Amino acid sequence: MSEDIITESLMAGAPEGPDMGESKAAAEDPEAKKKQAVKVQAVEFALADFFPKFNVRPEILTQKEILKGMFAEFVATALFVWIGCGTAISMQAEQTAFDGPTSNDFISTVAMAFGFGITVLVYAIAPISGGHINPAVTFALWLVRDIDANRLILFTIAQFAGAFLGALVIWGCTTSNALTNDGKNPPFLLAANFLTDSVSIGNAFLLESVGTFLLVFTVLFTAVYKKNIAANMAPAAIGWSVMLAHFVLIPFTGCGINPARSFGPHLVDIIDGVKVGKRGWWVYYTAPYVGALFAAMMFKTLYQLAPEKPTTTPALAPKIAEKVGKLAGSVVKSKKKEELPILVKEDVKEDVEAEVGKE
């Protein structure tokens, strides 16, 4: 494979550009080895548009960008809980006070609130963090190598913390309101997820797994897959998948499909001394990850089966390796490692496209 030739050429240090000869000493010098790995990562990122092997690879972000992404995930998850759980509370309050909406109205309204809420928030923060707003989604993106382990951990922490804040805020918004005071505090348990008597733990686990599978499957094939036709409509498709999952799951589990969304109300209820989730509480923190795992496996399987149009030949590979090798060697000392992949990609893009066009 031509992409293997490129990587092997760089790791071997041939053809050598400025400062590329140091790769020969990499095996003996840990610092040189680390620097060489940065170069190879930069090259692979640069060639992601031209070689199938490099099509799915974590984007390299600076520490500042990761922190901005964490904050965006924190705020968005808090707002998501406030929107969705807040709607569930207000619907129950109206039903209690005025004998209002029926159960069908409740399901439809809450499902649309969660679905439209995720759509709005993904549109808002996707340019900053990718718009995960769900630890199971973040987990799946790590599995398919769209993000690295660092972001997996930090974004997950931010999402759980944001969900807790969102639950606290909705509690503060409703705890003294006569319409929402159903004799319990927090009111209506802050729309915490729990299993109804009509569903077994096994049923609930499967329901939550399949619901999460639907969501993550949609995320991967509308926002990650390079041949998707969703373009800027990906957040809408993702929101629709969340809404559809709620239509099915609300009568049985309340619809979690998001460990952070379940965690926020659960924790606030527990802090206030309310015992929630006595039966099958763990389903909300395991099944979504199982569904995400299967969605990621399906994505990787279908991605590998998708026909790829050859974009270059083995004969062209050494030329590209030489070009990017020289650039990496010339800038690695003067640029931050986070900036190197972008510089490499910008420099080789026109040359590669020109060479591919000749072939």
Side-chain angles (χ1 to χ4, degrees):
M1 294 293 291
S2 54
E3 56 264 32
D4 293 327
I5 296 176
I6 293 176
T7 304
E8 291 171 5
S9 297
L10 286 164
M11 290 302 291
E16 291 187 8
D19 199 41
M20 288 296 287
E22 68 190 28
S23 60
K24 297 179 180 179
E28 300 177 0
D29 186 352
E31 187 63 28
K33 185 176 181 179
K34 182 178 180 181
K35 186 180 293 184
Q36 187 68 7
V38 171
K39 294 178 184 178
V40 173
Q41 187 179 32
V43 172
E44 292 181 346
F45 178 81
L47 300 179
D49 290 341
F50 310 105
F51 295 93
K53 177 180 177 180
F54 303 137
N55 271 348
V56 180
R57 187 162 299 276
E59 181 182 3
I60 299 174
L61 299 179
T62 63
Q63 183 178 9
K64 182 178 180 180
E65 289 172 326
I66 292 177
L67 291 176
K68 288 169 61 178
M70 282 185 66
F71 185 68
E73 291 290 323
F74 172 78
V75 173
T77 309
L79 290 173
F80 178 63
V81 170
W82 186 84
I83 293 168
C85 295
T87 301
I89 293 171
S90 64
M91 288 293 292
Q92 292 179 85
E94 184 180 0
Q95 189 172 9
T96 300
F98 304 115
D99 192 22
T102 65
S103 59
N104 289 336
D105 293 329
F106 175 83
I107 292 173
S108 299
T109 303
V110 173
M112 287 190 290
F114 276 106
F116 290 146
I118 205 71
T119 295
V120 169
L121 294 168
V122 171
Y123 268 122
I125 71 166
I128 303 173
S129 68
H132 305 178
I133 320 177
N134 186 334
V137 170
T138 301
F139 174 65
L141 293 175
W142 172 71
L143 289 177
V144 301
R145 302 182 68 194
D146 192 62
I147 64 171
D148 55 23
N150 189 34
R151 268 180 287 173
L152 167 65
I153 296 171
L154 296 178
F155 281 16
T156 298
I157 293 173
Q159 290 155 0
F160 275 102
F164 176 58
L165 174 64
L168 284 175
V169 172
I170 193 61
W171 185 20
C173 291
T174 60
T175 187
S176 62
N177 190 323
L179 293 181
T180 59
N181 188 2
D182 60 343
K184 299 184 179 71
N185 194 23
F188 302 105
L189 299 181
L190 299 180
N193 290 131
F194 62 90
L195 305 187
T196 62
D197 294 335
S198 62
V199 64
S200 68
I201 292 179
N203 293 151
F205 191 92
L206 186 58
L207 282 164
E208 287 289 327
S209 297
V210 175
T212 310
F213 178 92
L214 170 64
L215 166 60
V216 175
F217 185 85
T218 304
V219 170
L220 295 177
F221 279 98
T222 60
V224 178
Y225 187 48
K226 291 185 178 295
K227 294 183 178 180
N228 75 77
I229 61 173
N232 290 333
M233 287 298 293
I238 294 167
W240 294 336
S241 71
V242 170
M243 181 174 64
L244 293 173
H246 277 75
F247 279 136
V248 177
L249 271 64
I250 285 178
F252 303 106
T253 66
C255 192
I257 68 170
N258 183 332
R261 174 263 182 267
S262 299
F263 174 79
H266 277 169
L267 183 57
V268 174
D269 287 341
I270 291 171
I271 289 174
D272 198 56
V274 179
K275 293 182 179 180
V276 295
K278 296 179 182 178
R279 187 173 71 94
W281 63 268
W282 53 270
V283 168
Y284 299 103
Y285 304 100
T286 55
Y289 287 105
V290 172
L293 171 63
F294 278 97
M297 292 170 60
M298 179 69 72
F299 173 77
K300 296 185 76 170
T301 300
L302 295 179
Y303 189 90
Q304 291 172 357
L305 293 176
E308 292 281 1
K309 180 181 178 181
T311 54
T312 188
T313 65
L316 179 60
K319 299 178 183 179
I320 302 173
E322 181 177 11
K323 177 70 178 180
V324 296
K326 289 180 178 179
L327 180 65
S330 63
V331 303
V332 72
K333 287 186 176 181
S334 60
K335 299 289 182 181
K336 295 180 180 179
K337 68 176 183 178
E338 295 89 351
E339 299 173 355
L340 179 59
I342 307 299
L343 293 172
V344 173
K345 185 166 187 173
E346 292 175 350
D347 190 85
V348 304
K349 184 175 182 180
E350 292 184 3
D351 293 330
V352 173
E353 288 178 341
E355 290 290 343
V356 171
K358 291 179 182 178
E359 297 185 355

